[in-house]
Amino acid sequence: MRWQWRFLLLLPLLLVLAACGSFPQNPKLDKYDAKAGYRFDNLKTSEKNTDSLFVVLAFSGGGTRAASLSYGVMQALRNTSIKWKGKTKRLLDEVDMISSVSGGSFTSAYYALYRDGIFDGTYESVFLKKDIEKALLSAALSPVNWFKLAGGSYGRSDLAAEYYDENVFAQATFQKLIEKGTRPFLMLNATDMTTGWQFPFIQDQFDLICSDLSRISIARAVASSSAFPGLLTPLTYENHAGKCNYTEPQWVGFAMKDRLTAPERANLAEDRRSYYRQQPWEAKRKFIHLVDGGVADNIGLRSILAALKTTDPAYSLLRRINREQIEKLVVIVVNAATDPQPSRDGSADVPSVLDVLSTAATVPLDNFSFDTVNQLRSVVKEYNTSVALRKKCNKILKKHCPAAKLPDGELYELDLYLVQVAFDFIKDPQTRFKYKNLPTTFNLPAATVDDLIEMGGKLLHQDKDFRRLTGNLGATGG
């Protein structure tokens, strides 16, 4: 009978713990305001950070491997001194945007929060050189968390988010980034499990579900960006659409009418509407489930590509180019993708479910990563070709009618520096094999982390566009 009394005494506690086994509610946005919250336009420029030299970083997935390689690149940018518009500064100071997925999101988020504090050794100790997998396993084995994990809407990624919140990001929310008020603009990208589109953690995206991003933890956003299918669970967000008087941007309606001529843009508009404007035959999306950002784009470059193609995104780069605010555009892509030799090809056994899931989630996108880079290069080339054609037309016009002027004045060519940091560019085949066979894990030996950090800097300085940039800017150090 004694054990029964103990059980009755513990029952209230167990019920409370079981009730906690649901996802943390994302806060509702009381009233939509297109100028409030975490938006690119709300972050200021300065003498150190200008629009004219516009630097974008894109960090790929790949667990600690990706986080370490990205960290190495940031160290090299910190150590590179440049001269721009009469001012001497670090190239790192000119970074305007960081778009990241999965493992790369840990480094991008930590830097956005702590800036130079990322280099004081704390980040290496609490994440890069920490056995995160062991820590998460210990949390999952704790009896206190068993009841939480038994909840239908609370999964392993929720537990991971709690760990990151307590041990890596010190319970910081996006309000911290708003209060900083300066660039870089951080885009932590997850993937909407239903639509397959990117879901960036910016207020423009959270407007669609009438949710206040400022009160969401950085850790939960990073956990969403790195929720690798099969190993980690999707994270759930409640859709509050229809409760904040959201006003749809004009371009969405126009795009929906142009499906035959611009289907990709129409699909993007349709994706946005799926959160707040369902057709009668469509089910209402009461909850949004997010998985690893690498499922939609493993190098975090799609958001930047969209910003270059059109003026639709709130953070559009094309809009700033059209206003002649950007002279030099620097895009540094840090791609930690590997190509390990699989053991499956040595056996006739059917590959495991985990092997299939992992392959399906990474290999096809890794194959298209360089295609995405080439698309970005083509977009800028097309823009510059149009500018050159306009100049020729203007020259002919001046010859035959000196007083005539083309509308909108003179346009200028955009100076693009597309820098790629990837293991594919390691020259020595044996060294390249070594790095391309590193595992995707959150537990790498400290020596391997150090090697990756060093390799990030080496590959950055090896890139021909980076050397052209530093030569033009009179760079020293690095």
Side-chain angles (χ1 to χ4, degrees):
M1 292 294 291
R2 187 175 297 174
W3 69 268
Q4 292 175 324
W5 281 108
R6 288 177 179 176
F7 177 78
L8 290 173
L9 290 172
L10 286 173
L11 183 59
L13 176 61
L14 298 178
L15 291 174
V16 169
L17 290 173
C20 291
S22 62
F23 71 97
Q25 298 292 317
N26 48 298
K28 186 172 67 173
L29 185 66
D30 294 326
K31 186 178 181 181
Y32 166 68
D33 183 348
K35 295 184 178 181
Y38 190 62
R39 305 176 195 272
F40 180 74
D41 285 342
N42 291 340
L43 303 183
K44 299 176 182 177
T45 57
S46 65
E47 286 188 356
K48 289 186 176 181
N49 185 288
T50 63
D51 266 338
S52 51
L53 176 57
F54 202 97
V55 181
V56 179
L57 306 181
F59 293 164
S60 81
T64 302
R65 183 184 70 243
S68 302
L69 192 68
S70 301
Y71 180 67
V73 168
M74 300 203 82
Q75 274 194 343
L77 295 176
R78 176 200 59 178
N79 296 336
T80 303
S81 178
I82 62 168
K83 290 182 180 179
W84 182 248
K85 300 297 182 182
K87 301 289 184 181
T88 299
K89 63 187 77 175
R90 308 176 307 176
L91 187 50
L92 182 62
D93 295 328
E94 279 285 3
V95 173
D96 297 277
M97 288 184 176
I98 310 180
S99 175
S100 62
V101 298
S102 202
S105 288
F106 288 89
T107 300
S108 65
Y110 203 92
Y111 177 72
L113 276 171
Y114 302 110
R115 307 299 163 94
D116 277 11
I118 195 174
F119 304 119
D120 68 7
T122 304
Y123 179 56
E124 292 186 41
S125 64
V126 300
F127 183 74
L128 292 182
K129 296 179 179 179
K130 178 86 172 178
D131 189 343
I132 299 296
E133 291 186 358
K134 181 179 179 181
L136 295 181
L137 180 60
S138 296
L141 292 177
S142 170
V144 173
N145 291 322
W146 293 349
F147 297 95
K148 295 166 74 173
L149 289 168
S153 61
Y154 185 97
R156 294 186 301 278
S157 290
D158 295 280
L159 198 60
E162 289 184 5
Y163 176 83
Y164 304 149
D165 198 38
E166 292 288 336
N167 299 280
V168 181
F169 298 108
Q171 299 180 327
T173 67
F174 278 86
Q175 182 62 33
K176 287 281 188 182
L177 301 184
I178 294 173
E179 290 169 0
K180 285 184 178 296
T182 55
R183 299 178 185 176
F185 182 56
L186 176 67
M187 288 191 288
L188 300 172
N189 298 288
T191 302
D192 186 322
M193 195 173 177
T194 297
T195 66
W197 287 85
Q198 273 190 334
F199 192 101
F201 279 72
I202 57 178
Q203 188 56 54
D204 180 62
Q205 183 73 24
F206 274 73
D207 287 339
L208 308 181
I209 60 173
C210 284
S211 187
D212 184 359
L213 178 64
S214 69
R215 292 188 282 158
I216 291 176
S217 72
I218 298 290
R220 190 163 178 80
V222 172
S224 301
S225 179
S226 57
F228 190 80
L231 295 177
L232 291 164
T233 54
L235 285 103
T236 303
Y237 294 80
E238 188 171 359
N239 188 354
H240 303 289
K243 300 176 183 178
C244 66
N245 296 319
Y246 173 67
T247 302
E248 181 179 87
Q250 203 172 37
W251 72 264
V252 175
F254 290 146
M256 293 295 289
K257 296 176 182 178
D258 293 337
R259 176 165 295 280
L260 295 180
T261 55
E264 182 180 358
R265 186 168 178 241
N267 286 338
L268 179 59
E270 190 171 57
D271 168 66
R272 289 179 69 92
R273 281 189 171 178
S274 74
Y275 297 103
Y276 59 86
R277 188 172 169 177
Q278 286 81 26
Q279 297 293 343
W281 56 86
E282 295 176 322
K284 186 176 180 181
R285 302 189 66 190
K286 296 180 180 180
F287 299 95
I288 310 302
H289 303 281
L290 302 181
V291 294
D292 195 304
V295 174
D297 167 25
N298 200 35
I299 53 175
L301 197 58
R302 288 284 177 178
S303 296
I304 307 305
L305 184 59
L308 272 174
K309 281 183 174 181
T310 74
T311 58
D312 296 340
Y315 53 90
S316 171
L317 299 185
L318 181 59
R319 188 182 304 119
R320 287 166 177 80
I321 293 168
N322 289 340
R323 294 171 181 167
E324 302 188 7
Q325 293 174 306
I326 300 176
E327 296 176 30
K328 292 184 185 294
L329 175 62
V330 183
V331 180
I332 301 176
V333 181
V334 184
N335 185 0
T338 55
D339 186 21
Q341 288 191 340
S343 58
R344 76 176 78 93
D345 292 341
S347 169
D349 294 345
V350 175
S352 68
V353 173
L354 186 59
D355 187 12
V356 173
L357 279 173
S358 176
T359 301
T362 58
V363 173
L365 278 167
D366 286 343
N367 290 339
F368 286 107
S369 291
F370 284 111
D371 178 62
T372 304
V373 172
N374 289 332
Q375 280 189 55
L376 190 145
R377 197 188 305 274
S378 297
V379 168
V380 175
K381 183 178 180 181
E382 184 179 344
Y383 174 85
N384 285 341
T385 300
S386 300
V387 171
L389 181 61
R390 182 184 174 87
K391 286 182 176 179
K392 288 181 181 179
C393 291
N394 196 40
K395 187 176 181 179
I396 295 171
L397 182 63
K398 289 287 186 182
K399 180 179 179 180
H400 295 282
C401 187
K405 291 183 179 180
L406 288 175
D408 300 324
E410 289 287 339
L411 296 179
Y412 68 103
E413 292 186 14
L414 183 64
D415 195 9
L416 173 68
Y417 300 82
L418 185 49
V419 180
Q420 297 184 72
V421 174
F423 300 138
D424 296 273
F425 302 119
I426 297 175
K427 296 175 183 178
D428 177 65
Q430 187 173 352
T431 305
R432 186 170 62 249
F433 178 86
K434 167 191 166 184
Y435 282 93
K436 288 183 74 78
N437 279 273
L438 288 174
T440 299
T441 177
F442 283 117
N443 175 28
L444 288 177
T448 302
V449 169
D450 288 334
D451 287 345
L452 284 161
I453 293 171
E454 184 180 0
M455 182 56 69
K458 283 182 178 179
L459 290 173
L460 179 71
H461 285 284
Q462 173 187 301
D463 182 89
K464 64 179 181 179
D465 262 23
F466 188 76
R467 286 188 277 112
R468 180 168 65 91
L469 172 70
T470 52
N472 290 342
L473 298 179
T476 59

